Amino acid sequence: MSPTRRDVLKWAAGAGGMAGAGVLGLPSAASAASWSSRSWMGQLSNSLPVTKLTIPGTHNTCANSGMTAAKCQIWDLPTQLDKGIRFLDIRLNGLQGSANEMGLYHSDIYMNKRYQDVLNDCDFFLRNNPKEVIIMRLKNESAGGQALGAEEFRRRFNWYMDDPSMHFRPLFWTNPSWPTLGQARGKVVLLTDFSHEWTTLKWGDDHCKIQDKYNVPDDAKKQAIVDQFDAAWFDQSAAKMFINFTSTAKGPIPDPSMGARKILPSVYDYLEPRKAQRARFGIVPMDFPNFRQDVLSLLIDKNFV
């Protein structure tokens, strides 16, 4: 049996159609409006809660460098934002040789990008597209020789927020409730996935409903995606954000994009017959969305039905 990229990363760190996709019976509506990938949120109402949107995202957003097994993306971050991606999965360890900085990692593999580079990319994009909103999961990757303990991770994050040389706090929405588009325009909505006692939106059951089955057979993954899409439709409340990962660890090596090539066509098969039906699906993070830009377009289209 060929090793998966999850296996290879674990060792390196010392670490068709969807089955069962039922018809939702949603009401038919007008076809999606035209939109610009750089500014599609700007065409939506200020009063709309972000939890009522369908938001394309990327899994392990900046994993486009280093060893082959660690790659989850081909597009760099500015390209992703230009293409319409609005959810970022940002994973950090300490940056070697720095007392304060953090770097982007997949497990213990450095992605040749610092956290301040991510924030500068987001700031530049939002200044040029001030009606857009970015949602950022921020995770302590806690892997390899650059792993950070909880207290040190919090300290370094605060350094980015408040040190005069950085001072990125104004870029963030850090409130403990999901905002409307009007409240969050021009901001990065912070979704914290590290240990702290702050009152922010947190990754987990308090603020999210997450499907992230990544190390299961293809048919099981496809069914999990269908089940989460269906659950998002049948739950019309805006209290929590649905998050439906399409990513899988079943690469196999040496082509980690094979997982996306197998799974994303199935996502298309679910979305395409329903493209004229009103629904919200929440955040849909993907590996290698460049291979199926039609899926990316169908997700954004959902906001205009």
Side-chain angles (χ1 to χ4, degrees):
M1 179 181 294
S2 298
T4 67
R5 65 174 171 173
R6 180 68 54 175
D7 295 327
V8 173
L9 283 173
K10 182 165 60 177
W11 299 333
M18 285 194 168
V23 176
L24 289 180
L26 304 181
S28 226
S31 59
S34 60
W35 42 262
S36 164
S37 61
R38 289 186 179 180
S39 57
W40 63 267
M41 285 180 164
Q43 300 179 46
L44 300 173
S45 169
N46 282 338
S47 63
L48 194 61
V50 296
T51 51
K52 288 288 191 178
L53 300 178
T54 298
I55 301 172
T58 45
H59 158 251
N60 222 315
T61 297
C62 292
N64 63 347
S65 183
M67 65 183 291
T68 299
K71 292 182 179 180
C72 299
Q73 308 299 332
I74 288 178
W75 288 338
D76 62 13
L77 177 51
T79 301
Q80 291 181 35
L81 294 170
D82 284 347
K83 294 289 188 179
I85 297 296
R86 294 293 179 270
F87 168 79
L88 311 181
D89 181 13
I90 301 300
R91 305 179 181 210
L92 304 174
N93 288 324
L95 190 66
Q96 187 171 7
S98 173
N100 297 309
E101 297 178 45
M102 293 190 283
L104 277 291
Y105 286 80
H106 188 177
S107 188
D108 70 340
I109 310 300
Y110 180 46
M111 294 294 113
N112 298 311
K113 195 174 184 75
R114 304 168 301 170
Y115 188 42
Q116 58 261 47
D117 300 324
V118 170
L119 297 180
N120 282 324
D121 287 343
C122 292
D123 185 54
F124 180 83
F125 177 80
L126 291 170
R127 286 180 186 275
N128 286 279
N129 302 278
K131 292 185 177 182
E132 300 303 289
V133 175
I134 297 169
I135 299 174
M136 180 185 291
R137 174 201 188 182
L138 190 64
K139 181 178 185 290
N140 183 355
E141 190 74 340
S142 190
Q146 307 308 316
L148 299 174
E151 183 177 354
E152 179 63 9
F153 190 95
R154 290 192 299 270
R155 185 194 71 79
R156 293 195 188 206
F157 177 72
N158 275 327
W159 178 78
Y160 282 100
M161 298 289 272
D162 296 323
D163 190 89
S165 67
M166 294 292 163
H167 192 54
F168 283 108
R169 187 174 293 276
L171 181 62
F172 284 98
W173 170 275
T174 57
N175 294 41
S177 58
W178 289 104
T180 63
L181 272 175
Q183 291 172 319
R185 291 199 194 277
K187 297 284 187 180
V188 173
V189 176
L190 181 64
L191 188 54
T192 56
D193 190 9
F194 57 92
S195 176
H196 65 80
E197 300 302 323
W198 307 329
T199 54
T200 66
L201 288 167
K202 296 179 182 179
W203 186 263
D205 292 341
D206 286 348
H207 297 116
C208 310
K209 294 186 177 182
I210 303 168
Q211 181 283 118
D212 189 17
K213 295 180 179 179
Y214 57 82
N215 200 18
V216 297
D218 292 342
D219 285 347
K221 178 62 179 182
K222 293 171 185 178
Q223 186 60 53
I225 294 168
V226 167
D227 291 345
Q228 187 77 340
F229 277 149
D230 286 354
W233 159 247
F234 287 112
D235 182 349
Q236 294 298 307
S237 72
K240 296 184 181 182
M241 178 67 81
F242 277 83
I243 302 174
N244 195 1
F245 279 88
T246 67
S247 48
T248 174
K250 300 292 186 181
I253 303 305
D255 183 5
S257 71
M258 186 58 67
R261 293 176 190 267
K262 290 187 293 183
I263 299 299
L264 288 179
S266 302
V267 178
Y268 177 88
D269 288 346
Y270 182 94
L271 295 172
E272 171 62 22
R274 298 165 174 82
K275 64 183 179 182
Q277 296 173 330
R278 191 179 305 277
R280 65 85 189 238
F281 288 134
I283 292 168
V284 184
M286 298 171 278
D287 282 346
F288 302 103
N290 53 290
F291 289 122
R292 290 305 299 256
Q293 295 187 56
D294 51 356
V295 172
L296 176 55
S297 294
L298 282 169
L299 291 169
I300 297 175
D301 279 345
K302 273 298 176 192
N303 300 289
F304 298 96
V305 175

